[in-house]
């Protein structure tokens, strides 16, 4: 196997057609975009700068479970303090390890403070060399999630 195969970067596998929202959107608009595009993750941007993300879980836990209406501002439900992003030059292997460590399924890719792509755990799985690593990362993410189900 060649060295270039093992040193694929995030830029080589990231999705560049990204659905985003801004702080002017509300949680109903986010839910609608998620439904229309069959996604569960939307970056929040100001211009092209990443300022947060919203997941389908954020909508449920911070939005609807808190009895917020559909007109509630994005800021009320977005994750902004703990957003993990990566540079496009990061290797796919490093990205997989970062996902496993942080128990996340998607990584925004940022270059010069601008959102340029998103890498999902599924993007890692299509690389034959890294299928096991992606499976391991997903297993760790799922196991942590399973352990927290049913606890207060």
């Amino acid at each position: 196997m060649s060295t270039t195969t093992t040193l694929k970067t995030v830029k080589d596998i990231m999705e560049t057609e990204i659905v985003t929202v801004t702080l002017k959107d509300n949680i109903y608009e986010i839910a609608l975009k998620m439904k229309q595009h069959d996604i569960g993750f939307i970056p929040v941007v100001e211009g092209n700068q990443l300022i947060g993300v919203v997941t389908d879980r954020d909508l449920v836990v911070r939005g609807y479970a808190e009895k917020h209406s559909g007109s509630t501002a994005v800021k009320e439900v977005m994750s902004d303090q703990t957003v993990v992003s990566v540079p496009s030059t990061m290797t796919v292997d490093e990205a997989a390890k970062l996902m496993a460590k942080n128990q996340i399924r998607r990584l925004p890719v940022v270059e010069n403070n601008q959102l340029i792509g998103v890498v999902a755990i599924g993007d890692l799985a299509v690389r034959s060399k890294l299928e096991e690593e992606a499976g391991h990362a997903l297993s760790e993410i799922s196991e942590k999630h399973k352990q927290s189900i049913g606890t207060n």
Side-chain angles (χ1 to χ4, degrees), residues 51-106:
I51 59 171
V53 298
V54 177
T55 65
D56 44 7
R57 187 174 191 282
D58 292 332
L59 285 180
V60 172
V61 174
R62 293 190 195 134
Y64 299 114
E66 295 293 325
K67 298 186 179 179
H68 288 292
S69 72
S71 62
T72 299
V74 168
K75 188 136 183 82
E76 298 297 317
V77 298
M78 77 178 193
S79 300
D80 56 358
Q81 303 290 332
T82 56
V83 176
V84 177
S85 64
V86 297
S88 63
T89 56
M90 178 178 274
T91 68
V92 173
D93 186 48
E94 291 171 320
K97 289 175 181 168
L98 187 63
M99 290 170 132
K101 178 184 171 198
N102 290 287
Q103 286 118 65
I104 53 178
R105 297 170 190 239
R106 301 163 197 97

Side-chain angles (χ1 to χ4, degrees), residues 19-150:
V19 176
T20 62
V21 294
T22 70
L23 292 176
K24 294 179 182 175
D25 291 305
N26 61 46
I27 64 175
Y28 170 76
E29 292 164 330
I30 296 170
L32 191 58
K33 282 187 176 188
M34 285 182 176
K35 178 182 177 184
Q36 289 170 337
H37 297 278
D38 193 27
I39 55 177
F41 171 92
I42 297 183
V44 182
V45 295
E46 226 172 57
N48 284 333
Q49 186 173 357
L50 178 69
I51 59 171
V53 298
V54 177
T55 65
D56 44 7
R57 187 174 191 282
D58 292 332
L59 285 180
V60 172
V61 174
R62 293 190 195 134
Y64 299 114
E66 295 293 325
K67 298 186 179 179
H68 288 292
S69 72
S71 62
T72 299
V74 168
K75 188 136 183 82
E76 298 297 317
V77 298
M78 77 178 193
S79 300
D80 56 358
Q81 303 290 332
T82 56
V83 176
V84 177
S85 64
V86 297
S88 63
T89 56
M90 178 178 274
T91 68
V92 173
D93 186 48
E94 291 171 320
K97 289 175 181 168
L98 187 63
M99 290 170 132
K101 178 184 171 198
N102 290 287
Q103 286 118 65
I104 53 178
R105 297 170 190 239
R106 301 163 197 97
L107 284 171
V109 181
V110 177
E111 202 168 83
N112 300 321
N113 274 342
Q114 303 292 303
L115 178 67
I116 62 165
V118 172
V119 172
I121 194 103
D123 297 328
L124 303 178
V126 299
R127 301 286 170 204
S128 59
K129 171 92 172 98
L130 293 170
E131 278 183 19
E132 190 174 320
E133 178 97 27
H136 177 68
L138 184 56
S139 168
E140 285 186 23
I141 293 165
S142 298
E143 192 57 38
K144 275 278 201 215
H145 177 68
K146 203 185 321 180
Q147 290 171 0
S148 66
I149 294 174

